[in-house]
Amino acid sequence: MRSEAVGRHRDRRFWAMVVAVGLVAIAVAVRSPLLGIALIAFVGVCAFLATIVGTYRGTLLLGAVLLSVDIAVPGDIALRYRVPIGGGGIYIIDVALALLLMSMVVVTLSGRRPRMVASPVALPTLLFLGWMVAAAGIGYMSGNDPKLILQDIRSLVYYAMFFFAVMFVTDRRTILSFQRLLAVCMVVAFAFGALYSALGRGGAIGYVEAGVSRFPTADMIFLIGPILVATFVVVWPAGRRRPAWLWLLLFVALLGLVLSFVRGNWIAFAVGLMYLLLVLRVRERIQLVAGGLVITVVLGVGLAIMSPAVFDSVVSRAMAITAAGDINVEYRLLENRIVKRQIAEKPVFGNGLGTEYLFDWSHYGVTPFLKTYIHNNYYWFLQRLGIVGLALFIWMAVAYLVPWMKERSQLPRDDPWLYGIVFGGRAMFVALLVNSITSPRLNTMDSVAVLAFVMGVSEAAAKLLRERQERDQAALTRGEPAPFA
């Protein structure tokens, strides 16, 4: 009874402070209506955030909001509005990340810290984030533009989403809720792409038929999505009927992958499927191969009938994968040569975040210009973070892809949602590792946020399956049936 009274007293004190500040805002509004309105809005936002930040449910909500904005909202909307600071501004998605990290810290320091899932990935990820800070200092000491340094930090800091997942998304119900969220976000992203296509806002590309354009939405989700959904379909237990909407979701994901016309994504997707062939059981491998052939035929015939121009463009684009004379290939090879010289100057610790390089494309009539974007993600790591930074990332990748191989055959296979995310998360990571040779996926916030989150969720799912296996074995030892958990 006393604790309830203390709680009510604190609530009254909190809202009394809100009312007091509101009265101050009214007094300010008498002198300046605009300033008064701004102050009232600020107080309202702070009062709302006070009920969210630092709570378990509030942290989950903030994580869900961040992923939704990252995946579903087109870049021209998500990156249009900023909080103005100094001559630049902070994007709304960065505000969401800052609130999420703040909430995680508050929960941890408040004594209500949830038990983090033990994972071999945690230490290298933490050290990688620490080296990011050191690389920012190196960049600043080297005279790099602070704005460019902050841009690099903005992307890498999303690896903290791994810790959000292993701290908060750790029970089966929450994992399934976030899986549904990712599925809905992918469908929404596809809907935005279809709408933009109808408005004639598709991207121009080569090796396609006249009038055919690139699907105007972030192609990252249509590399990650098909691999994850395909894994769920393949590992579905025999004798249990797959939900009809899972097939529809797979169709949407694959259609988005095809219409992106990103050749690197197609190759990465194929490599991700080959990885699944290596780690799955024989029955699942057969389902993957047979299902892949059927879906390929269905998609091919459907495109040929519905849109012959798109079908011909897919074929032409696929044949151009080996086009060594492609100007894009030459462009990237020149980019690699220039960056390689910078790497050789400071190979161990790198040149620091925010590093630029002079790109000379003058034989095409283009004036040399300073550039920060590097298509090859591994050159980007070496140029900015040095061998130390790349080694930490490789440690992170090895810790995620290797230790689980010892236990994969013992994991219970009758829970496809947990089992699928464990296998699909690894296949997704392998695909992104391959894709990052030609497109930076490991240092861009849209890819990193989902990648780090799925890595954490798959580690949490693996832990639940291990615990389930231990309970089943204990029950069998006692002579009891092992119920599905």
Side-chain angles (χ1 to χ4, degrees):
M1 295 293 293
R2 181 179 179 183
S3 61
E4 293 180 2
V6 172
R8 288 195 297 270
H9 178 70
R10 288 177 178 175
D11 289 343
R12 286 196 296 268
R13 184 171 58 185
F14 170 75
W15 289 111
M17 291 174 60
V18 173
V19 171
V21 176
L23 293 175
V24 172
I26 294 173
V28 171
V30 174
R31 301 292 300 274
S32 173
L34 183 60
L35 184 60
I37 293 173
L39 184 57
I40 292 173
F42 176 75
V43 171
V45 170
C46 289
F48 175 72
L49 292 178
T51 63
I52 294 178
V53 174
T55 66
Y56 180 81
R57 290 182 178 274
T59 306
L60 289 176
L61 175 62
L62 290 171
V65 169
L66 189 150
L67 288 171
S68 299
V69 174
D70 181 64
I71 298 173
V73 181
D76 62 330
I77 297 176
L79 302 180
R80 177 185 300 175
Y81 304 103
R82 299 186 297 175
V83 178
I85 294 180
I90 302 177
Y91 292 117
I92 302 302
I93 190 172
D94 295 331
V95 174
L97 177 63
L99 290 174
L100 174 61
L101 296 178
M102 184 190 307
S103 188
M104 291 170 59
V105 170
V106 171
V107 171
T108 301
L109 297 179
S110 66
R112 301 188 302 271
R113 177 170 61 92
R115 186 177 180 182
M116 188 171 74
V117 172
S119 167
V121 185
L123 179 57
T125 303
L126 185 63
L127 293 176
F128 181 80
L129 289 170
W131 184 248
M132 173 196 72
V133 177
I138 293 173
Y140 183 78
M141 296 299 293
S142 300
N144 295 345
D145 186 346
K147 183 177 180 180
L148 298 179
I149 294 174
L150 291 175
Q151 287 179 355
D152 287 346
I153 291 176
R154 168 188 287 145
S155 298
L156 295 180
V157 77
Y158 279 85
Y159 278 103
M161 289 294 291
F162 172 83
F163 294 101
F164 163 70
V166 294
M167 288 176 63
F168 294 90
V169 190
T170 56
D171 61 88
R172 187 175 185 273
R173 180 179 179 182
T174 307
I175 290 174
L176 266 60
S177 295
F178 272 90
Q179 287 177 349
R180 287 190 287 267
L181 174 68
L182 294 178
V184 171
C185 287
M186 185 177 67
V187 173
V188 172
F190 186 88
F192 270 115
L195 175 62
Y196 281 20
S197 293
L199 297 175
R201 297 173 61 178
I205 46 174
Y207 299 103
V208 294
E209 299 296 314
V212 175
S213 60
R214 175 174 290 164
F215 200 56
T217 189
D219 61 272
M220 171 275 305
I221 189 60
F222 296 112
L223 169 58
I224 292 175
I227 293 179
L228 292 177
V229 180
T231 306
F232 290 128
V233 170
V234 170
V235 303
W236 204 265
R240 288 174 58 186
R241 185 176 181 181
R242 297 175 182 84
W245 60 264
L246 194 60
W247 292 107
L248 179 61
L249 190 65
L250 179 60
F251 174 78
V252 170
L254 290 173
L255 187 59
L257 174 67
V258 171
L259 296 180
S260 70
F261 288 106
V262 180
R263 293 168 290 182
N265 285 1
W266 296 348
I267 296 174
F269 177 70
V271 173
L273 295 184
M274 286 189 287
Y275 175 80
L276 285 177
L277 288 174
L278 293 175
V279 298
L280 292 173
R281 289 182 173 178
V282 174
R283 182 188 69 84
E284 295 160 342
R285 294 175 185 174
I286 294 174
Q287 288 189 149
L288 179 59
V289 173
L293 291 175
V294 171
I295 291 175
T296 299
V297 171
V298 171
L299 273 177
V301 172
L303 285 176
I305 295 175
M306 300 298 295
S307 180
V310 172
F311 176 80
D312 292 339
S313 297
V314 171
V315 175
S316 301
R317 189 77 176 166
M319 295 297 292
I321 287 176
T322 58
D326 188 346
I327 189 173
N328 290 317
V329 175
E330 183 180 348
Y331 187 98
R332 298 181 190 197
L333 291 176
L334 175 60
E335 185 179 84
N336 290 346
R337 287 195 295 269
I338 297 172
V339 173
K340 193 183 298 184
R341 290 196 290 268
Q342 274 189 325
I343 294 171
E345 295 174 359
K346 298 180 180 180
V348 179
F349 301 113
N351 298 270
L353 299 184
T355 299
E356 297 177 291
Y357 61 97
L358 184 64
F359 189 80
D360 188 355
W361 199 240
S362 54
H363 67 282
Y364 277 95
V366 179
T367 303
F369 59 96
L370 288 174
K371 189 180 178 191
T372 60
Y373 187 90
I374 303 173
H375 287 84
N376 188 312
N377 230 149
Y378 305 102
Y379 277 117
W380 189 95
F381 281 146
L382 287 170
Q383 183 218 35
R384 267 123 157 134
L385 305 174
I387 294 175
V388 174
L390 181 60
L392 289 173
F393 180 81
I394 292 174
W395 180 10
M396 185 196 312
V398 171
Y400 184 57
L401 295 175
V402 175
W404 85 292
M405 296 287 286
K406 299 178 182 179
E407 63 184 19
R408 76 180 195 278
S409 59
Q410 282 77 42
L411 295 176
R413 307 174 99 83
D414 52 1
D415 189 341
W417 301 117
L418 297 185
Y419 186 74
I421 197 67
V422 172
F423 279 76
R426 268 76 183 182
M428 173 206 71
F429 188 63
V430 169
L432 290 178
L433 288 176
V434 173
N435 194 221
S436 294
I437 297 174
T438 56
S439 298
R441 302 295 186 185
L442 308 174
N443 69 324
T444 52
M445 62 183 181
D446 54 350
S447 301
V448 171
V450 180
L451 167 63
F453 175 76
V454 172
M455 288 172 64
V457 170
S458 65
E459 289 289 88
K463 176 178 178 292
L464 292 175
L465 291 174
R466 287 194 299 268
E467 292 176 346
R468 157 84 188 291
Q469 178 70 9
E470 293 171 358
R471 291 196 303 270
D472 290 351
Q473 289 178 348
L476 291 174
T477 302
R478 296 191 302 268
E480 302 172 358
F484 174 74

